Amino acid sequence: MHKFIITTQEELTLIIDKSVSKKLDGLRELIMNKVNPSKQKLTVKEVAQKLNVTELTTRNYIQKGYIKADKIGRRVLIDASELEKSLTEIKSLKYKRL
């Protein structure tokens, strides 16, 4: 059973471009992740540098519950995605009307 589709050259070009770009987008994302891997866990020092505060301030934020952290032995590690969530929550609370 064969199906024949009648289309114009422009429609065919559009269909091919869409299907090729879908495949290339996945490949581009894979290449970018390999070239620039995102670090999953950050140390207190790295978070302090990222937020432009001292390490003590970062530890205080963790203690107060503003930033979620995991303690593994003596090391304190902060998940990068959780840090971003924490920052957006703090910003929304900062500008919340009472």
Side-chain angles (χ1 to χ4, degrees):
M1 180 185 262
H2 297 318
K3 288 187 179 181
F4 292 99
I5 300 173
I6 300 173
T7 181
T8 63
Q9 183 178 359
E10 292 83 21
E11 290 175 337
L12 182 61
T13 304
L14 184 64
I15 292 169
I16 292 171
D17 286 344
K18 281 184 181 180
S19 62
V20 170
S21 67
K22 282 183 185 178
K23 296 292 182 183
L24 287 179
D25 287 342
L27 185 60
R28 282 187 195 113
E29 185 177 332
L30 179 66
I31 290 171
M32 289 306 293
N33 288 338
K34 292 291 182 182
V35 171
N36 299 323
S38 60
K39 192 170 183 183
Q40 298 297 323
K41 300 283 186 176
L42 301 170
T43 63
V44 173
K45 186 175 184 177
E46 291 170 334
V47 171
Q49 289 173 349
K50 186 173 184 174
L51 299 179
N52 199 22
V53 295
T54 64
E55 290 181 43
L56 181 61
T57 303
T58 304
R59 290 184 190 280
N60 288 337
Y61 287 165
I62 293 169
Q63 189 175 19
K64 290 179 182 178
Y66 297 147
I67 299 173
K68 294 180 184 176
D70 299 321
K71 191 168 185 179
I72 301 173
R74 292 176 50 188
R75 297 185 73 194
V76 178
L77 298 175
I78 298 108
D79 191 0
S81 60
E82 288 293 326
L83 177 65
E84 293 299 323
K85 283 184 196 175
S86 299
L87 292 176
T88 55
E89 288 175 13
I90 290 171
K91 285 180 185 176
S92 65
L93 289 176
K94 184 177 180 182
Y95 297 110
K96 185 177 178 181
R97 290 186 173 210
L98 300 175

